[in-house]
Amino acid sequence: MKRYPAFEFPEYVDWRPDPAVQAEFHARTTADPQRAALIGSLTTPQLLALYEGLVRARLHDVSLKRWVKQGVITKAWLGSGEEAVTIGACAALEPADVVGPMIRNASACFQRGMRMAECFAAYLGTTDSITGGRDLHIGDPACGVIPPISHIGDLVPVMTGCALAFKLRGEARVALTWTGDGSTATGAVHEGLRTALSTRAPLVAVIQDNQVALGTDRTCSFPGDFAQLGGAYGMPVHRVDGNNVLDMFAATRLAVDHARRGDGPVMIVARTFRMGGHATHDEREARDLFPAEVFAYWGQRDPVGNFEAWLQAHRGVEASTLAALEARIEAEIDEAARDALAKRATHEPLPETVTHGVYAASPER
Ligand SMILES: Cc1ncc(C[n+]2csc(CCOP(=O)(O)OP(=O)(O)O)c2C)c(N)n1
Ligand SMILES: [Mg+2]
């Protein structure tokens, strides 16, 4: 795909596929027989839909970064470099399933059918988003996206509750959520997992190990192995290359099938890397957290570039097909960004509505 020197991480600007990394990417798609069978059964339109999801997620972030640089917004939380963890997982779900995305998984919103302009509106604080301009943690239950709150970890018990409700109602639906490596430090994550286990709720819990939480290297906060943690809970665990959308898709499909059959929760441990900062404001400081070689290593494992190269090398997809798809998404995102910006003239929140939807106990009672 096109690269955007002003808005992308340095490793992505002159990105070219590396034969050794491509071989590694392909090997991952054949290593596990069950996953390989699922990947092998994907049709070209299904593969292109995965590519489309990755490109849309990347271009969404490029637009946000552009707004930051233009001073439209002060900062943005990006998922660039981690797109495959979200896009692969969403592709493995049925429309009636629900997801609980954290900020790194914003692409789950539009992947599940929310309008891109609404996602941008949340950043601009205009009233045409589900929170009426109050919060950028958005979702839409009508699209099967449970809006998160800022508190990390709390989505696990919430999504366990959704999964348990499905089970009690006898519905063959699954709830999936993503939890960052750092967020596993919260009690809520473990209470949620334990409840899902004891009730055999159809929950798929993705641990998105991007190896850092705010400014803390993961090896300092949790030197252990998340897969062993899941194992200690007696949960089936799938280890995934989080930068390989095919691996993520196939592992999630296996996990979802297990949960949907009534066999209880499953953990997926997706290893990836946060190429940027916690948000755009600390990108420079984030560069000091790891040696340059670590950024180079993960930069070469760009989930979009490697999938694109794989599609051409292993599925004979023409570069012109990919370029046409990309141009369509680019136009769609530009239009959504324009629409969202235009709404600032007509959809500013009214000051007198500030207490709407705010609940508190009256001090007089
Ligand atoms: C309960 C709670 N504690 C602390 C925070 C502040 N906080 C926001 S993001 C974050 C780190 C999250 O790291 P991780 O779970 O690894 O996700 P990542 O940002 O790497 O995707 C922290 C501590 C919070 N939002 N909620
Ligand atoms: Mg993290």
Side-chain angles (χ1 to χ4, degrees), residues 8 84 145 187 218 224 282 294 349 356:
E8 298 217 68
V145 185
R218 204 269 273 164
D282 66 340
V294 174
H356 291 186

Side-chain angles (χ1 to χ4, degrees), residues 2 16 18 26 33 38 42 48 66 70 92 115 131 145 150 152 161 188 194 197-199 212 246 294 335 338 365:
K2 265 193 278 177
R16 296 278 175 280
D18 174 288
H26 182 62
L38 287 166
L42 289 172
L48 289 178
R66 186 182 288 122
Q70 291 173 339
R115 287 183 313 111
T131 66
V145 185
S150 174
I152 54 175
R194 287 285 303 264
L197 281 161
S198 57
T199 58
V212 61
L246 295 168
V294 174
E335 190 186 338
R338 264 196 312 276
R365 278 193 204 150

Side-chain angles (χ1 to χ4, degrees), residues 8 20 43-44 49 123-124 147 149 184 225 268 281 295 319 332 344 346-347 352:
E8 298 217 68
T43 61
T44 301
Y123 260 100
L124 297 176
I149 53 169
T184 60
D225 178 353
I268 292 175
H281 66 280
F295 287 95
E332 174 204 302
R344 289 189 302 181
T346 50
H347 287 67
E352 54 269 33

